[in-house]
Amino acid sequence: MVLATSVNVVLGSLAFAIFWVLAVFPSVPFLPIGRTAGSLLGAMLMVIFRIITPNQAYDAIDLPILGLLFGTMLVSVYLERADMFKYLGKLLSWKSKGAKDLIFRICLISAISSAFFTNDTSCVVLTEFVLKIARQRKLPPHPFLLALASSANIGSSVTPIGNPQNLVIAIQSKISFGNFLIGILPAMLLGVVANGVILICMYWSLLSIPKDEEDAAIEVVAEDDLNSHRFSPATMSHFTSLSSQEWKSTTEVINVQSPPNLYGNMGNVETVRNRLTSSENDIHSVHSDMLESARNSNASKEVANDASSQKREETTTSHNGASVETLRDTLSVQSSEGKEDLIMRWKRMLWKSCIYLVTIGMLIALLMGLNMSWTAITAALALVVLDFKDARSCLEKVSYLLLIFFCGMFITVDGFNKTGIPSTLWDLMEPYAQIDRVSGIALLAIIILILSNLASNVPTVLLLGGKVAASAALISAADEKKAWLILAWVSTIAGNLSLLGSAANLIVCEQARQAPHLGYTLSFWSHLKFGVPSTLIVTAIGLTLIR
């Protein structure tokens, strides 16, 4: 393709440069409008500068890719609600045999989950689990965070739904889900193992914690977590002390009410005795009168005591009857609540099973070669119907900003392609980047690595995909397929080179920094120290295995 007019080349390059700056550095001081608005601004400038027409701009938007993105994101939302990622997090520490075993376990689980649920989603939900496990074992978090982010990128390369650039490649190349998976699977598996070995070699001393210290650390944290869920002993003792106080106060009331009667009678006796005359007959008379009065008083007291005792027995009986009725009502309420809880638990389990079955059905349909976009959308809508309630809360979790960013990026990249600059540059490199030679594959991989870190991986795929495939198609159909798979592999692994090379890296970094009580900052240089050797070695391993 020849270059466009000088004016179009300059204006198209300016629009693309604005898009690139805002896509790579979304918070630049002179225009802090963000990545999504930057893509729309680039698209608008391409139309305003008349690099492309409005109709060409609409045609540049790839609806199948947007549909596939939307469907996979919505399925991931329902899988998260069904605790899929919580179970994956538990697998990280289940019967773990040490720090080095944990590194490989994180690499494997991160890679597998990213292959089917996208790398960004896996990093969002697994970062906090990794931080908690590192805290339990009193280990530095950054080797495990690096394992999570880098393995998520490596694992996402194996399927068309693992990351956005693979979606673009799968739609444009028309390679089936199964062929895509088979073509990159050996490279992915060996790449994950190599990535884990590199991490262990680089951080051997940090990961070599004595086993007894590690077990002690785990026991301490586990004990703390257990205590936080136990009944508080203070609560139980508080309840007991209140009961004893109530009983004591009740007893004191009874004791305080009884003595005055006794002391009052004794006072009356003393008063009568003081009024006795010296006459013996009077004394005997008065004494006999007092004895009779005392007998009458005792008799009346016995009658009163019998009435009071009978009343207490009736009150006690009524209280016991009320307590029995209350106990029966409580037991019946608890029984009904238990039945309701059991029913709700079974409904929850049934709902989870349906979510998992629909997801498995979606993967089977993709492996059978059905249309990927409509398969993902159908699975997502099936989950919406099975949920049987307003889907607004789930639909709101879909990243519409990402979909809008893709729309603007499609238009901007299409406009830049029409300037003729990418085609001219490819014409200069094509003779040396033929994939039927080892040197050509190495040069092509270097170009993809550099562009993916400068312009991001999705724009790189949009700029180079058609040209690389067309060049390989001149050799053979098998080489055309190989060219697409190489592009998918290298553009994805290129994200491990630096912290800014992949959205998954930034997600892990930000999630780790904002994690409550577990915050950790993954620096650019600590990532680069690991990213450069890992990216070069894993890329080279994969290039030898992709067929």
Side-chain angles (χ1 to χ4, degrees):
M1 180 179 179
V2 297
L3 286 171
T5 62
S6 299
V7 175
N8 283 355
V9 169
V10 173
L11 293 178
S13 299
L14 176 63
F16 184 79
I18 292 174
F19 159 77
W20 176 81
V21 170
L22 293 175
V24 179
F25 308 103
S27 300
V28 290
F30 62 86
L31 196 62
I33 62 174
R35 186 176 286 112
T36 301
S39 72
L40 292 177
L41 178 60
M44 182 195 69
L45 291 176
M46 287 293 181
V47 176
I48 290 177
F49 294 156
R50 296 187 176 181
I51 308 300
I52 57 176
T53 65
N55 289 332
Q56 288 175 332
Y58 289 129
D59 293 337
I61 298 175
D62 200 327
L63 291 178
I65 294 176
L66 297 179
L68 186 54
L69 269 174
F70 172 79
T72 53
M73 284 191 288
L74 190 54
V75 169
S76 297
V77 169
Y78 279 98
L79 284 173
E80 186 175 1
R81 282 187 55 197
D83 298 331
M84 167 65 76
F85 297 103
K86 184 177 75 174
Y87 298 145
L88 291 177
K90 289 182 179 180
L91 283 175
L92 293 177
S93 58
W94 182 65
K95 294 185 179 180
S96 178
K97 297 180 180 179
K100 300 177 184 66
D101 169 67
L102 184 60
I103 284 286
F104 278 109
R105 190 172 296 201
I106 291 174
C107 288
L108 184 61
I109 292 176
S110 175
I112 294 175
S113 62
S114 298
F116 298 103
F117 312 120
T118 77
N119 52 355
D120 295 350
T121 301
S122 298
C123 290
V124 166
V125 298
L126 292 178
T127 299
E128 191 168 348
F129 286 110
V130 170
L131 286 173
K132 287 180 179 178
I133 294 171
R135 170 177 168 264
Q136 286 178 354
R137 287 158 174 75
K138 295 184 178 180
L139 293 167
H142 67 273
F144 304 100
L145 294 176
L146 290 174
L148 174 63
S150 57
S151 297
N153 287 328
I154 296 172
S156 69
S157 65
V158 77
T159 63
I161 61 175
N163 56 60
Q165 62 268 21
N166 280 14
L167 294 176
V168 175
I169 291 172
I171 297 297
Q172 291 188 353
S173 67
K174 296 181 174 54
I175 299 176
S176 68
F177 189 96
N179 289 332
F180 202 108
L181 176 65
I182 295 172
I184 299 184
L185 183 60
M188 186 274 283
L189 293 176
L190 199 55
V192 169
V193 173
N195 190 59
V197 171
I198 294 170
L199 279 166
I200 289 176
C201 292
M202 290 187 65
Y203 299 102
W204 182 272
S205 58
L206 294 177
L207 300 175
S208 299
I209 181 173
K211 191 70 172 69
D212 54 349
E213 293 182 13
E214 182 178 339
D215 293 339
I218 295 173
E219 288 176 2
V220 170
V221 176
E223 185 71 19
D224 293 340
D225 293 339
L226 185 60
N227 286 336
S228 66
H229 293 88
R230 286 176 178 167
F231 290 107
S232 173
T235 304
M236 297 301 293
S237 62
H238 180 61
F239 175 77
T240 306
S241 63
L242 284 176
S243 300
S244 63
Q245 288 174 1
E246 290 174 358
W247 172 253
K248 184 177 180 181
S249 63
T250 305
T251 307
E252 288 176 356
V253 168
I254 296 173
N255 292 333
V256 167
Q257 289 175 350
S258 300
N261 296 328
L262 178 60
Y263 295 146
N265 292 334
M266 291 179 66
N268 292 333
V269 173
E270 292 295 330
T271 302
V272 173
R273 285 179 180 174
N274 291 333
R275 291 178 181 177
L276 292 176
T277 61
S278 57
S279 174
E280 187 175 359
N281 293 330
D282 293 339
I283 293 174
H284 286 296
S285 177
V286 172
H287 185 62
S288 63
D289 292 339
M290 289 299 300
L291 290 174
E292 186 66 24
S293 176
R295 290 191 187 98
N296 293 335
S297 176
N298 290 332
S300 64
K301 286 169 65 177
E302 288 177 359
V303 172
N305 288 335
D306 291 340
S308 177
S309 176
Q310 183 177 0
K311 185 176 181 180
R312 278 200 300 269
E313 289 178 358
E314 292 176 357
T315 304
T316 303
T317 304
S318 64
H319 279 308
N320 289 338
S323 300
V324 171
E325 291 297 327
T326 303
L327 182 59
R328 288 176 181 173
D329 294 339
T330 303
L331 291 175
S332 64
V333 170
Q334 290 179 349
S335 177
S336 62
E337 289 179 352
K339 290 180 180 178
E340 291 178 0
D341 291 342
L342 183 61
I343 292 173
M344 291 300 296
R345 194 177 297 114
W346 276 103
K347 286 183 177 179
R348 174 76 175 168
M349 291 178 61
L350 180 62
W351 179 79
K352 285 184 180 182
S353 301
C354 292
I355 298 294
Y356 300 149
L357 288 175
V358 170
T359 305
I360 293 172
M362 181 189 75
L363 296 176
I364 293 174
L366 291 173
L367 288 171
M368 291 174 61
L370 299 182
N371 184 281
M372 286 188 281
S373 299
W374 283 106
T375 298
I377 294 173
T378 302
L381 293 178
L383 296 179
V384 170
V385 173
L386 284 172
D387 199 26
F388 205 67
K389 60 184 176 182
D390 191 351
R392 179 181 300 178
S393 60
C394 293
L395 292 172
E396 286 176 349
K397 293 183 179 180
V398 173
S399 180
Y400 296 103
L401 291 178
L402 179 62
L403 299 178
I404 295 172
F405 171 78
F406 264 76
C407 292
M409 181 179 61
F410 286 141
I411 298 172
T412 304
V413 173
D414 187 63
F416 188 59
N417 276 328
K418 291 188 183 306
T419 63
I421 295 176
S423 298
T424 302
L425 293 176
W426 175 250
D427 290 340
L428 295 175
M429 295 181 293
E430 183 180 9
Y432 310 101
Q434 297 294 322
I435 65 169
D436 57 347
R437 300 192 302 267
V438 175
S439 60
I441 293 176
L443 179 60
L444 179 62
I446 292 172
I447 294 171
I448 297 172
L449 280 173
I450 295 173
L451 282 179
S452 294
N453 281 275
L454 291 178
S456 187
N457 40 30
V458 178
T460 297
V461 168
L462 291 172
L463 288 171
L464 290 180
K467 300 170 183 60
V468 172
S471 176
L474 297 176
I475 303 173
S476 68
D479 285 326
E480 181 184 5
K481 175 189 171 185
K482 182 179 179 180
W484 282 113
L485 295 179
I486 288 175
L487 182 61
W489 173 255
V490 180
S491 64
T492 301
I493 306 305
N496 288 338
L497 186 68
S498 71
L499 189 62
L500 302 176
S502 168
N505 299 342
L506 297 175
I507 288 172
V508 169
C509 181
E510 193 64 17
Q511 291 283 111
R513 187 179 65 84
Q514 295 181 355
H517 310 298
L518 300 168
Y520 180 83
T521 300
L522 184 63
S523 68
F524 177 86
W525 295 109
S526 64
H527 188 284
L528 189 67
K529 177 183 175 182
F530 158 76
V532 172
S534 173
T535 301
L536 296 178
I537 294 173
V538 173
T539 301
I541 291 173
L543 290 175
T544 62
L545 297 174
I546 292 176
R547 293 289 182 269

